[in-house]
Amino acid sequence: MRQAYETATVAVMERDAAPSELRTSRLVLRAWRADDREPFAAMNADPEVMRWIGSGPLDRVASDGLRARLRREWSRAGRGLWAVERGDDGTFLGFCGLTDPAWGGPGLRDELEIGWRLTRSAWGQGYATEAARAALGVGWETLGLHSAIALVHPDNERSLGVAANLGMRVAGTTRHAGTGWEVLVLRAHRPADTPGTRGPSAAPG
């Protein structure tokens, strides 16, 4: 799936720790394990997977460094990117979750990011949407997020499709500092019927 590294914005009501594991009808979003290193590195080295990601393909050292950073974020913040596996056979598929953005224009670095990246073998099966919906549910109900954004290259049709499935709409643009890409900022708002919503005043003004 030509996944841009995507993003979740937010105004926060209360911050609780995200669960270490989530299950959907087909997927398990879970803590990182030592045996994820090889399939994670293979995914990050794939030029098609990394086509719309500013870093481009990663070598093994860079991939291991990214994995270590993701694990540190969970320890520090109590939330981050889960490893994603297929529920019926445990196959590693990639990652998805809520994380600190690695880049963004004014104000975006103060927000959270909902990111996903999947191996090519997992593309076209709705896994990214399924995992991202589960992650956003934690954002709304556990972390108290009021809104979420995604940062997507305008040519990244697959990620734009996922964002549309999540109910996101274009809210502006920002520029990737490393590549100079102008990317779309898409936004979804916390559903009004989410448990814990505090009426109209829950949404930021």
Side-chain angles (χ1 to χ4, degrees):
M1 196 167 191
R2 294 180 179 176
Q3 297 292 88
Y5 193 66
E6 312 219 336
T7 315
T9 302
V10 236
V12 179
M13 295 187 328
E14 298 174 351
R15 279 208 183 279
D16 296 314
S20 61
E21 183 173 295
L22 294 176
R23 291 182 177 268
T24 70
S25 62
R26 298 183 294 168
L27 304 173
V28 180
L29 285 67
R30 56 160 174 79
W32 293 86
R33 301 192 304 242
D35 60 0
D36 296 327
R37 292 176 65 186
E38 293 290 343
F40 186 58
M43 177 182 72
N44 291 330
D46 186 330
E48 276 298 296
V49 171
M50 304 297 282
R51 180 173 179 179
W52 303 115
I53 297 169
S55 67
L58 302 180
D59 62 20
R60 180 57 183 267
V61 172
S63 180
D64 286 351
L66 174 58
R67 179 177 169 276
R69 181 178 68 78
L70 300 184
R71 296 182 69 189
R72 286 195 301 270
E73 184 175 7
W74 273 99
S75 297
R76 173 183 57 79
R79 46 95 185 127
L81 294 165
W82 290 275
V84 177
E85 67 178 40
R86 194 160 45 223
D88 60 359
D89 62 6
T91 299
F92 177 87
L93 300 180
F95 65 62
C96 183
L98 298 156
T99 184
D100 296 320
W103 59 277
L108 297 184
R109 297 299 293 272
D110 298 326
E111 299 168 359
L112 285 183
E113 175 178 1
I114 180 161
W116 60 82
R117 187 181 305 170
L118 300 182
T119 63
R120 250 196 287 180
S121 63
W123 294 358
Q125 301 177 63
Y127 290 145
T129 297
E130 186 172 328
R133 279 186 177 142
L136 282 177
V138 171
W140 305 141
E141 298 179 24
T142 303
L143 303 183
L145 309 186
H146 290 301
S147 61
I149 66 169
L151 305 183
V152 185
H153 191 285
D155 293 334
N156 187 347
E157 295 180 0
R158 290 181 179 275
S159 283
L160 290 174
V162 173
N165 291 339
L166 298 173
M168 295 182 156
R169 299 292 181 267
V170 175
T173 62
T174 190
R175 192 167 295 279
H176 186 276
T179 63
W181 292 341
E182 186 174 56
V183 301
L184 300 174
V185 180
L186 300 103
R187 175 168 282 110
H189 294 284
R190 176 186 175 90
D193 60 352
T194 301
T197 299
R198 301 176 181 178
S201 64

